[in-house]
Amino acid sequence: MAITTRPSAPGGGAPGAPAGPAGRGTAWAEGVERLRAAATTEPGRLRIIGAVLAALVLLFGAVAVWEVSVRVTAAQDVVGRSQPLSADAASIYRSLADADTASSSGFLAGAQEPREVRQRYEKDIANASRLLVSAAANTGAGGESRKEIALLGEQLPRYTGLIEQARATNRQGLPLGGAYLRFANEQMSTVLLPAAQRLYEAETGRLYTDYDEARGWPLAATGAGLLALAGLVWAQRRNYLLTNRVFNHGLLAATAAAAVVLLWLTVGQTVARSGLGEARADGQESLKVLNDARIASLQARANENLTLIARGAVLAEDKKSDKYDVDYAKNMKQLDAGLARALELADDASGRDPVSKAVAGVAQWKQRHAAARDADVKGDYELALPQVIGGRGHENSSGASFDTVDASLEQAVAHEQKQFTLAARDGLGALGGLVTGSAALAAVGAGAALLGIGRRLSEYR
């Protein structure tokens, strides 16, 4: 009987087998084939399950560390960088507005400017200059903030130069001093204060961006945690169905580690969101309203002074009314609205009391201003002047009322700043240790999962 043979494939392999350099398949194909072969036996399946579980737990830990790190950094920026920069920008605005108010008050006092008024002006200018240097050092390169800081640094010396010219001329008793002062006020109103306002808005916008980033829920980490827990629960249920053993200590430890990380993440982020939300709603929003109210009061006082200095030389758009008196009325309306809103936002007696005192001071201020304005309109400048700037025998001036309002608002701002700092630090503290803890527990969980599977594998040896 004849024996026939079938031709072998080139290289001695089986017919139709994929050919490689030595008649073997690619490494990927071989790996897939081995994995498929391993999956046909229980020990092989266990090895695959163990590797997948360890990878899921490690993935959960890595994603949790990444997302929490981003939120911790943003919360740290809220507490230590963006909010202080926003507060400094508001202080720059207040200092500039107060310097303008002090300069006009000193001018009204005549050639012998009171020392305390001069010192207040110099303190305001020095504070604004210092804060500008600090803001330039801490704000990011480029951007809107850097541009406004440069503009303020360039224009502030020009403003102070005009004030010194106004003072020097006023000491000589020349009417030109009033023109210098009005021009300085125009520079402050049209250049310096708008630049300071834009700087404040830019820094506050950055603060709110940091808020949103710090309070954002870690969705990826939560999803990875739930996936890891689901895989571990499935593996333990499978183990129970095959062996009738309720617990596998390694898998149970891995499940506990993943559950602790997920619970810690959930509680920590919830508390952090609450603290940062309180800081924003009860602290930063109140600070913004109070700062706006204080600025309105400073502008109102400057316009009240300039009304006496200009003596009707500058008219409003209607060509009939005094421009500075019209601006004063507008500022007082803004102040009333701001104080009403501040009372709504105040959530304790320490916050409400100074605002209520400021409201009473504004009512008194309006009455005294009306009396001074009536005397000025009638041409009695000598009577109107002490009713505005005060002095011996005229302690009940509109200037004294302004000082009450300003001091009360300063007290309210200090209280709200303290409230903000406490709430924001509580929010940041809730995330403390979470980065390190997540990494450590994820490593423990992955190791425990491998040990638990290894215990099952030992039964096949």
Side-chain angles (χ1 to χ4, degrees), residues 180-225:
Y180 276 121
L181 188 70
R182 290 195 299 273
F183 185 59
N185 172 262
E186 182 181 350
Q187 291 297 104
M188 177 65 76
S189 301
T190 61
V191 179
L192 287 166
L193 290 182
Q197 179 68 26
R198 292 191 296 269
L199 175 62
Y200 174 67
E201 290 172 353
E203 294 302 332
T204 302
R206 179 185 301 178
L207 170 62
Y208 288 155
T209 299
D210 288 338
Y211 265 127
D212 294 339
E213 194 166 282
R215 297 184 73 247
W217 193 264
L219 295 176
T222 303

mmCIF file of all heavy atoms in Angstrom, residues 180-225:
data_model
loop_
_atom_site.group_PDB
_atom_site.id
_atom_site.type_symbol
_atom_site.label_atom_id
_atom_site.label_comp_id
_atom_site.label_asym_id
_atom_site.label_seq_id
_atom_site.Cartn_x
_atom_site.Cartn_y
_atom_site.Cartn_z
ATOM 1 N N TYR A 180 -5.642 122.932 39.785
ATOM 2 C CA TYR A 180 -4.748 121.777 39.871
ATOM 3 C C TYR A 180 -5.424 120.608 40.590
ATOM 4 O O TYR A 180 -5.321 119.450 40.189
ATOM 5 C CB TYR A 180 -3.471 122.160 40.628
ATOM 6 C CG TYR A 180 -2.412 122.815 39.769
ATOM 7 C CD1 TYR A 180 -1.936 124.100 40.070
ATOM 8 C CD2 TYR A 180 -1.880 122.155 38.670
ATOM 9 C CE1 TYR A 180 -0.955 124.707 39.295
ATOM 10 C CE2 TYR A 180 -0.898 122.762 37.887
ATOM 11 C CZ TYR A 180 -0.442 124.029 38.198
ATOM 12 O OH TYR A 180 0.523 124.614 37.434
ATOM 13 N N LEU A 181 -6.128 120.929 41.664
ATOM 14 C CA LEU A 181 -6.787 119.873 42.436
ATOM 15 C C LEU A 181 -7.888 119.205 41.626
ATOM 16 O O LEU A 181 -8.035 117.983 41.650
ATOM 17 C CB LEU A 181 -7.343 120.443 43.737
ATOM 18 C CG LEU A 181 -7.892 119.384 44.701
ATOM 19 C CD1 LEU A 181 -6.753 118.559 45.280
ATOM 20 C CD2 LEU A 181 -8.689 120.035 45.828
ATOM 21 N N ARG A 182 -8.670 120.009 40.898
ATOM 22 C CA ARG A 182 -9.737 119.427 40.087
ATOM 23 C C ARG A 182 -9.163 118.542 38.979
ATOM 24 O O ARG A 182 -9.714 117.489 38.662
ATOM 25 C CB ARG A 182 -10.610 120.540 39.480
ATOM 26 C CG ARG A 182 -11.451 121.276 40.503
ATOM 27 C CD ARG A 182 -12.552 122.100 39.837
ATOM 28 N NE ARG A 182 -12.029 123.116 38.935
ATOM 29 C CZ ARG A 182 -11.665 124.337 39.309
ATOM 30 N NH1 ARG A 182 -11.755 124.693 40.583
ATOM 31 N NH2 ARG A 182 -11.228 125.215 38.430
ATOM 32 N N PHE A 183 -8.040 118.967 38.404
ATOM 33 C CA PHE A 183 -7.407 118.154 37.361
ATOM 34 C C PHE A 183 -6.869 116.854 37.951
ATOM 35 O O PHE A 183 -6.975 115.788 37.341
ATOM 36 C CB PHE A 183 -6.286 118.932 36.687
ATOM 37 C CG PHE A 183 -5.662 118.207 35.525
ATOM 38 C CD1 PHE A 183 -6.412 117.810 34.439
ATOM 39 C CD2 PHE A 183 -4.312 117.881 35.536
ATOM 40 C CE1 PHE A 183 -5.844 117.122 33.371
ATOM 41 C CE2 PHE A 183 -3.722 117.194 34.488
ATOM 42 C CZ PHE A 183 -4.495 116.810 33.391
ATOM 43 N N ALA A 184 -6.297 116.947 39.156
ATOM 44 C CA ALA A 184 -5.813 115.731 39.825
ATOM 45 C C ALA A 184 -6.981 114.786 40.100
ATOM 46 O O ALA A 184 -6.877 113.562 39.903
ATOM 47 C CB ALA A 184 -5.110 116.091 41.128
ATOM 48 N N ASN A 185 -8.108 115.352 40.544
ATOM 49 C CA ASN A 185 -9.284 114.521 40.793
ATOM 50 C C ASN A 185 -9.794 113.881 39.515
ATOM 51 O O ASN A 185 -10.223 112.713 39.509
ATOM 52 C CB ASN A 185 -10.392 115.368 41.433
ATOM 53 C CG ASN A 185 -11.699 114.618 41.539
ATOM 54 O OD1 ASN A 185 -12.590 114.759 40.699
ATOM 55 N ND2 ASN A 185 -11.826 113.799 42.584
ATOM 56 N N GLU A 186 -9.732 114.624 38.413
ATOM 57 C CA GLU A 186 -10.153 114.067 37.121
ATOM 58 C C GLU A 186 -9.250 112.895 36.719
ATOM 59 O O GLU A 186 -9.732 111.868 36.240
ATOM 60 C CB GLU A 186 -10.119 115.162 36.057
ATOM 61 C CG GLU A 186 -10.594 114.680 34.686
ATOM 62 C CD GLU A 186 -10.528 115.771 33.627
ATOM 63 O OE1 GLU A 186 -10.291 116.930 33.995
ATOM 64 O OE2 GLU A 186 -10.706 115.458 32.438
ATOM 65 N N GLN A 187 -7.936 113.038 36.936
ATOM 66 C CA GLN A 187 -7.008 111.937 36.643
ATOM 67 C C GLN A 187 -7.313 110.725 37.512
ATOM 68 O O GLN A 187 -7.279 109.582 37.048
ATOM 69 C CB GLN A 187 -5.566 112.399 36.882
ATOM 70 C CG GLN A 187 -5.066 113.427 35.888
ATOM 71 C CD GLN A 187 -5.028 112.860 34.469
ATOM 72 O OE1 GLN A 187 -5.883 113.174 33.639
ATOM 73 N NE2 GLN A 187 -4.049 112.016 34.204
ATOM 74 N N MET A 188 -7.621 110.984 38.766
ATOM 75 C CA MET A 188 -7.956 109.879 39.665
ATOM 76 C C MET A 188 -9.247 109.195 39.215
ATOM 77 O O MET A 188 -9.330 107.956 39.175
ATOM 78 C CB MET A 188 -8.113 110.413 41.092
ATOM 79 C CG MET A 188 -8.537 109.369 42.117
ATOM 80 S SD MET A 188 -7.305 108.070 42.374
ATOM 81 C CE MET A 188 -6.108 108.953 43.371
ATOM 82 N N SER A 189 -10.241 109.989 38.849
ATOM 83 C CA SER A 189 -11.563 109.434 38.508
ATOM 84 C C SER A 189 -11.595 108.735 37.163
ATOM 85 O O SER A 189 -12.323 107.758 36.977
ATOM 86 C CB SER A 189 -12.614 110.553 38.522
ATOM 87 O OG SER A 189 -12.664 111.165 39.787
ATOM 88 N N THR A 190 -10.806 109.236 36.204
ATOM 89 C CA THR A 190 -10.887 108.708 34.836
ATOM 90 C C THR A 190 -9.768 107.727 34.485
ATOM 91 O O THR A 190 -9.896 106.975 33.517
ATOM 92 C CB THR A 190 -10.866 109.855 33.818
ATOM 93 O OG1 THR A 190 -9.635 110.592 33.955
ATOM 94 C CG2 THR A 190 -12.048 110.785 34.036
ATOM 95 N N VAL A 191 -8.669 107.738 35.243
ATOM 96 C CA VAL A 191 -7.534 106.876 34.900
ATOM 97 C C VAL A 191 -7.203 105.898 36.023
ATOM 98 O O VAL A 191 -7.255 104.677 35.849
ATOM 99 C CB VAL A 191 -6.283 107.721 34.553
ATOM 100 C CG1 VAL A 191 -5.097 106.803 34.232
ATOM 101 C CG2 VAL A 191 -6.569 108.643 33.382
ATOM 102 N N LEU A 192 -6.874 106.433 37.198
ATOM 103 C CA LEU A 192 -6.382 105.585 38.278
ATOM 104 C C LEU A 192 -7.458 104.659 38.843
ATOM 105 O O LEU A 192 -7.259 103.443 38.952
ATOM 106 C CB LEU A 192 -5.793 106.454 39.388
ATOM 107 C CG LEU A 192 -4.444 107.107 39.060
ATOM 108 C CD1 LEU A 192 -4.128 108.198 40.061
ATOM 109 C CD2 LEU A 192 -3.339 106.071 39.042
ATOM 110 N N LEU A 193 -8.591 105.216 39.219
ATOM 111 C CA LEU A 193 -9.627 104.380 39.817
ATOM 112 C C LEU A 193 -10.201 103.354 38.832
ATOM 113 O O LEU A 193 -10.430 102.200 39.215
ATOM 114 C CB LEU A 193 -10.744 105.257 40.394
ATOM 115 C CG LEU A 193 -10.352 106.053 41.651
ATOM 116 C CD1 LEU A 193 -11.542 106.844 42.168
ATOM 117 C CD2 LEU A 193 -9.819 105.135 42.744
ATOM 118 N N PRO A 194 -10.450 103.710 37.560
ATOM 119 C CA PRO A 194 -10.888 102.660 36.623
ATOM 120 C C PRO A 194 -9.857 101.543 36.464
ATOM 121 O O PRO A 194 -10.220 100.367 36.347
ATOM 122 C CB PRO A 194 -11.089 103.424 35.313
ATOM 123 C CG PRO A 194 -11.419 104.813 35.743
ATOM 124 C CD PRO A 194 -10.572 105.048 36.967
ATOM 125 N N ALA A 195 -8.566 101.890 36.447
ATOM 126 C CA ALA A 195 -7.527 100.858 36.349
ATOM 127 C C ALA A 195 -7.539 99.970 37.589
ATOM 128 O O ALA A 195 -7.397 98.743 37.496
ATOM 129 C CB ALA A 195 -6.157 101.502 36.163
ATOM 130 N N ALA A 196 -7.703 100.593 38.759
ATOM 131 C CA ALA A 196 -7.772 99.806 39.991
ATOM 132 C C ALA A 196 -9.015 98.922 40.005
ATOM 133 O O ALA A 196 -8.976 97.777 40.498
ATOM 134 C CB ALA A 196 -7.775 100.741 41.205
ATOM 135 N N GLN A 197 -10.117 99.410 39.459
ATOM 136 C CA GLN A 197 -11.341 98.612 39.378
ATOM 137 C C GLN A 197 -11.141 97.403 38.471
ATOM 138 O O GLN A 197 -11.565 96.291 38.784
ATOM 139 C CB GLN A 197 -12.491 99.480 38.861
ATOM 140 C CG GLN A 197 -13.819 98.750 38.707
ATOM 141 C CD GLN A 197 -14.421 98.328 40.027
ATOM 142 O OE1 GLN A 197 -14.144 98.944 41.048
ATOM 143 N NE2 GLN A 197 -15.222 97.282 40.016
ATOM 144 N N ARG A 198 -10.494 97.617 37.328
ATOM 145 C CA ARG A 198 -10.240 96.502 36.412
ATOM 146 C C ARG A 198 -9.291 95.477 37.046
ATOM 147 O O ARG A 198 -9.450 94.268 36.842
ATOM 148 C CB ARG A 198 -9.668 97.027 35.092
ATOM 149 C CG ARG A 198 -10.654 97.833 34.266
ATOM 150 C CD ARG A 198 -10.131 98.098 32.868
ATOM 151 N NE ARG A 198 -8.934 98.932 32.864
ATOM 152 C CZ ARG A 198 -8.927 100.250 32.783
ATOM 153 N NH1 ARG A 198 -10.081 100.910 32.716
ATOM 154 N NH2 ARG A 198 -7.787 100.927 32.771
ATOM 155 N N LEU A 199 -8.320 95.955 37.795
ATOM 156 C CA LEU A 199 -7.406 95.046 38.499
ATOM 157 C C LEU A 199 -8.176 94.212 39.508
ATOM 158 O O LEU A 199 -7.973 92.989 39.613
ATOM 159 C CB LEU A 199 -6.313 95.858 39.202
ATOM 160 C CG LEU A 199 -5.336 95.065 40.084
ATOM 161 C CD1 LEU A 199 -4.554 94.051 39.251
ATOM 162 C CD2 LEU A 199 -4.399 96.007 40.821
ATOM 163 N N TYR A 200 -9.063 94.846 40.240
ATOM 164 C CA TYR A 200 -9.879 94.135 41.232
ATOM 165 C C TYR A 200 -10.762 93.090 40.560
ATOM 166 O O TYR A 200 -10.879 91.954 41.037
ATOM 167 C CB TYR A 200 -10.730 95.142 42.002
ATOM 168 C CG TYR A 200 -11.721 94.506 42.946
ATOM 169 C CD1 TYR A 200 -11.297 93.797 44.060
ATOM 170 C CD2 TYR A 200 -13.093 94.620 42.715
ATOM 171 C CE1 TYR A 200 -12.214 93.219 44.929
ATOM 172 C CE2 TYR A 200 -14.009 94.050 43.580
ATOM 173 C CZ TYR A 200 -13.566 93.346 44.684
ATOM 174 O OH TYR A 200 -14.470 92.766 45.531
ATOM 175 N N GLU A 201 -11.374 93.455 39.455
ATOM 176 C CA GLU A 201 -12.252 92.512 38.752
ATOM 177 C C GLU A 201 -11.459 91.330 38.192
ATOM 178 O O GLU A 201 -11.929 90.183 38.218
ATOM 179 C CB GLU A 201 -12.994 93.244 37.630
ATOM 180 C CG GLU A 201 -14.035 94.224 38.132
ATOM 181 C CD GLU A 201 -14.619 95.084 37.029
ATOM 182 O OE1 GLU A 201 -14.104 94.992 35.878
ATOM 183 O OE2 GLU A 201 -15.567 95.842 37.306
ATOM 184 N N ALA A 202 -10.252 91.589 37.693
ATOM 185 C CA ALA A 202 -9.426 90.509 37.156
ATOM 186 C C ALA A 202 -9.011 89.540 38.258
ATOM 187 O O ALA A 202 -9.075 88.308 38.088
ATOM 188 C CB ALA A 202 -8.192 91.079 36.461
ATOM 189 N N GLU A 203 -8.589 90.069 39.398
ATOM 190 C CA GLU A 203 -8.158 89.206 40.494
ATOM 191 C C GLU A 203 -9.340 88.477 41.125
ATOM 192 O O GLU A 203 -9.218 87.315 41.537
ATOM 193 C CB GLU A 203 -7.420 90.032 41.555
ATOM 194 C CG GLU A 203 -6.111 90.627 41.080
ATOM 195 C CD GLU A 203 -5.130 89.571 40.593
ATOM 196 O OE1 GLU A 203 -5.196 88.420 41.066
ATOM 197 O OE2 GLU A 203 -4.296 89.879 39.730
ATOM 198 N N THR A 204 -10.499 89.127 41.185
ATOM 199 C CA THR A 204 -11.690 88.460 41.716
ATOM 200 C C THR A 204 -12.150 87.360 40.767
ATOM 201 O O THR A 204 -12.594 86.294 41.199
ATOM 202 C CB THR A 204 -12.819 89.485 41.939
ATOM 203 O OG1 THR A 204 -12.353 90.500 42.837
ATOM 204 C CG2 THR A 204 -14.041 88.811 42.537
ATOM 205 N N GLY A 205 -12.024 87.599 39.452
ATOM 206 C CA GLY A 205 -12.350 86.550 38.477
ATOM 207 C C GLY A 205 -11.450 85.343 38.639
ATOM 208 O O GLY A 205 -11.905 84.192 38.559
ATOM 209 N N ARG A 206 -10.162 85.582 38.896
ATOM 210 C CA ARG A 206 -9.245 84.464 39.132
ATOM 211 C C ARG A 206 -9.636 83.722 40.411
ATOM 212 O O ARG A 206 -9.560 82.495 40.484
ATOM 213 C CB ARG A 206 -7.814 84.983 39.250
ATOM 214 C CG ARG A 206 -6.792 83.883 39.519
ATOM 215 C CD ARG A 206 -5.410 84.432 39.742
ATOM 216 N NE ARG A 206 -4.947 85.207 38.598
ATOM 217 C CZ ARG A 206 -3.773 85.825 38.564
ATOM 218 N NH1 ARG A 206 -2.966 85.765 39.604
ATOM 219 N NH2 ARG A 206 -3.416 86.502 37.495
ATOM 220 N N LEU A 207 -10.050 84.472 41.429
ATOM 221 C CA LEU A 207 -10.479 83.850 42.682
ATOM 222 C C LEU A 207 -11.667 82.926 42.448
ATOM 223 O O LEU A 207 -11.694 81.793 42.947
ATOM 224 C CB LEU A 207 -10.846 84.945 43.690
ATOM 225 C CG LEU A 207 -11.550 84.488 44.969
ATOM 226 C CD1 LEU A 207 -10.660 83.540 45.767
ATOM 227 C CD2 LEU A 207 -11.944 85.694 45.819
ATOM 228 N N TYR A 208 -12.648 83.382 41.682
ATOM 229 C CA TYR A 208 -13.823 82.555 41.431
ATOM 230 C C TYR A 208 -13.475 81.323 40.586
ATOM 231 O O TYR A 208 -14.086 80.258 40.745
ATOM 232 C CB TYR A 208 -14.909 83.384 40.742
ATOM 233 C CG TYR A 208 -15.567 84.386 41.666
ATOM 234 C CD1 TYR A 208 -16.174 85.530 41.180
ATOM 235 C CD2 TYR A 208 -15.573 84.186 43.042
ATOM 236 C CE1 TYR A 208 -16.771 86.445 42.023
ATOM 237 C CE2 TYR A 208 -16.170 85.098 43.892
ATOM 238 C CZ TYR A 208 -16.767 86.221 43.384
ATOM 239 O OH TYR A 208 -17.362 87.123 44.234
ATOM 240 N N THR A 209 -12.495 81.450 39.702
ATOM 241 C CA THR A 209 -12.027 80.283 38.944
ATOM 242 C C THR A 209 -11.421 79.253 39.877
ATOM 243 O O THR A 209 -11.681 78.043 39.753
ATOM 244 C CB THR A 209 -10.991 80.718 37.887
ATOM 245 O OG1 THR A 209 -11.604 81.623 36.969
ATOM 246 C CG2 THR A 209 -10.462 79.512 37.123
ATOM 247 N N ASP A 210 -10.616 79.708 40.825
ATOM 248 C CA ASP A 210 -10.030 78.787 41.811
ATOM 249 C C ASP A 210 -11.117 78.158 42.677
ATOM 250 O O ASP A 210 -11.035 76.972 43.026
ATOM 251 C CB ASP A 210 -9.022 79.530 42.687
ATOM 252 C CG ASP A 210 -7.744 79.868 41.940
ATOM 253 O OD1 ASP A 210 -7.454 79.203 40.924
ATOM 254 O OD2 ASP A 210 -7.035 80.805 42.358
ATOM 255 N N TYR A 211 -12.121 78.941 43.040
ATOM 256 C CA TYR A 211 -13.257 78.400 43.792
ATOM 257 C C TYR A 211 -13.883 77.229 43.034
ATOM 258 O O TYR A 211 -14.088 76.143 43.587
ATOM 259 C CB TYR A 211 -14.334 79.470 43.952
ATOM 260 C CG TYR A 211 -14.293 80.257 45.231
ATOM 261 C CD1 TYR A 211 -14.279 81.636 45.204
ATOM 262 C CD2 TYR A 211 -14.300 79.636 46.474
ATOM 263 C CE1 TYR A 211 -14.268 82.387 46.367
ATOM 264 C CE2 TYR A 211 -14.291 80.369 47.641
ATOM 265 C CZ TYR A 211 -14.273 81.746 47.584
ATOM 266 O OH TYR A 211 -14.264 82.480 48.734
ATOM 267 N N ASP A 212 -14.224 77.463 41.788
ATOM 268 C CA ASP A 212 -14.914 76.442 40.995
ATOM 269 C C ASP A 212 -14.058 75.189 40.851
ATOM 270 O O ASP A 212 -14.577 74.064 40.892
ATOM 271 C CB ASP A 212 -15.265 77.011 39.609
ATOM 272 C CG ASP A 212 -16.298 78.131 39.688
ATOM 273 O OD1 ASP A 212 -17.011 78.198 40.699
ATOM 274 O OD2 ASP A 212 -16.367 78.935 38.743
ATOM 275 N N GLU A 213 -12.746 75.371 40.670
ATOM 276 C CA GLU A 213 -11.865 74.220 40.507
ATOM 277 C C GLU A 213 -11.750 73.444 41.816
ATOM 278 O O GLU A 213 -11.743 72.211 41.816
ATOM 279 C CB GLU A 213 -10.488 74.687 40.050
ATOM 280 C CG GLU A 213 -9.610 73.568 39.524
ATOM 281 C CD GLU A 213 -8.403 74.101 38.775
ATOM 282 O OE1 GLU A 213 -8.563 74.503 37.607
ATOM 283 O OE2 GLU A 213 -7.312 74.126 39.369
ATOM 284 N N ALA A 214 -11.676 74.154 42.926
ATOM 285 C CA ALA A 214 -11.545 73.489 44.224
ATOM 286 C C ALA A 214 -12.827 72.766 44.617
ATOM 287 O O ALA A 214 -12.778 71.725 45.291
ATOM 288 C CB ALA A 214 -11.175 74.511 45.295
ATOM 289 N N ARG A 215 -13.973 73.280 44.197
ATOM 290 C CA ARG A 215 -15.250 72.678 44.586
ATOM 291 C C ARG A 215 -15.773 71.651 43.585
ATOM 292 O O ARG A 215 -16.767 70.983 43.837
ATOM 293 C CB ARG A 215 -16.302 73.778 44.768
ATOM 294 C CG ARG A 215 -15.979 74.763 45.880
ATOM 295 C CD ARG A 215 -17.095 75.785 46.085
ATOM 296 N NE ARG A 215 -18.253 75.184 46.716
ATOM 297 C CZ ARG A 215 -19.424 75.016 46.144
ATOM 298 N NH1 ARG A 215 -19.597 75.394 44.880
ATOM 299 N NH2 ARG A 215 -20.427 74.473 46.798
ATOM 300 N N GLY A 216 -15.092 71.516 42.437
ATOM 301 C CA GLY A 216 -15.547 70.559 41.436
ATOM 302 C C GLY A 216 -15.508 69.128 41.951
ATOM 303 O O GLY A 216 -14.543 68.712 42.600
ATOM 304 N N TRP A 217 -16.553 68.371 41.681
ATOM 305 C CA TRP A 217 -16.617 66.999 42.185
ATOM 306 C C TRP A 217 -15.665 66.097 41.388
ATOM 307 O O TRP A 217 -15.636 66.174 40.159
ATOM 308 C CB TRP A 217 -18.035 66.448 42.093
ATOM 309 C CG TRP A 217 -18.160 65.176 42.888
ATOM 310 C CD1 TRP A 217 -18.069 63.906 42.428
ATOM 311 C CD2 TRP A 217 -18.337 65.085 44.291
ATOM 312 N NE1 TRP A 217 -18.188 63.012 43.460
ATOM 313 C CE2 TRP A 217 -18.347 63.719 44.622
ATOM 314 C CE3 TRP A 217 -18.482 66.029 45.316
ATOM 315 C CZ2 TRP A 217 -18.509 63.266 45.933
ATOM 316 C CZ3 TRP A 217 -18.635 65.586 46.618
ATOM 317 C CH2 TRP A 217 -18.662 64.211 46.913
ATOM 318 N N PRO A 218 -14.888 65.234 42.070
ATOM 319 C CA PRO A 218 -13.939 64.336 41.376
ATOM 320 C C PRO A 218 -14.664 63.161 40.717
ATOM 321 O O PRO A 218 -14.658 62.030 41.217
ATOM 322 C CB PRO A 218 -13.010 63.882 42.507
ATOM 323 C CG PRO A 218 -13.845 63.956 43.745
ATOM 324 C CD PRO A 218 -14.769 65.129 43.541
ATOM 325 N N LEU A 219 -15.280 63.414 39.576
ATOM 326 C CA LEU A 219 -16.105 62.399 38.911
ATOM 327 C C LEU A 219 -15.284 61.196 38.464
ATOM 328 O O LEU A 219 -15.723 60.040 38.605
ATOM 329 C CB LEU A 219 -16.812 63.030 37.716
ATOM 330 C CG LEU A 219 -17.844 64.120 38.046
ATOM 331 C CD1 LEU A 219 -18.390 64.737 36.770
ATOM 332 C CD2 LEU A 219 -18.978 63.537 38.879
ATOM 333 N N ALA A 220 -14.102 61.438 37.888
ATOM 334 C CA ALA A 220 -13.295 60.327 37.394
ATOM 335 C C ALA A 220 -12.877 59.410 38.528
ATOM 336 O O ALA A 220 -12.929 58.173 38.411
ATOM 337 C CB ALA A 220 -12.067 60.857 36.655
ATOM 338 N N ALA A 221 -12.461 60.000 39.655
ATOM 339 C CA ALA A 221 -12.048 59.180 40.800
ATOM 340 C C ALA A 221 -13.238 58.422 41.377
ATOM 341 O O ALA A 221 -13.113 57.241 41.747
ATOM 342 C CB ALA A 221 -11.420 60.061 41.874
ATOM 343 N N THR A 222 -14.390 59.045 41.434
ATOM 344 C CA THR A 222 -15.577 58.362 41.942
ATOM 345 C C THR A 222 -15.949 57.186 41.048
ATOM 346 O O THR A 222 -16.253 56.090 41.532
ATOM 347 C CB THR A 222 -16.762 59.343 42.025
ATOM 348 O OG1 THR A 222 -16.399 60.450 42.864
ATOM 349 C CG2 THR A 222 -17.986 58.668 42.596
ATOM 350 N N GLY A 223 -15.921 57.401 39.729
ATOM 351 C CA GLY A 223 -16.230 56.311 38.796
ATOM 352 C C GLY A 223 -15.227 55.175 38.899
ATOM 353 O O GLY A 223 -15.608 53.983 38.900
ATOM 354 N N ALA A 224 -13.929 55.510 38.997
ATOM 355 C CA ALA A 224 -12.898 54.475 39.113
ATOM 356 C C ALA A 224 -13.057 53.710 40.416
ATOM 357 O O ALA A 224 -12.852 52.479 40.463
ATOM 358 C CB ALA A 224 -11.511 55.109 39.031
ATOM 359 N N GLY A 225 -13.436 54.394 41.488
ATOM 360 C CA GLY A 225 -13.638 53.731 42.771
ATOM 361 C C GLY A 225 -14.805 52.762 42.732
ATOM 362 O O GLY A 225 -14.720 51.629 43.242
#
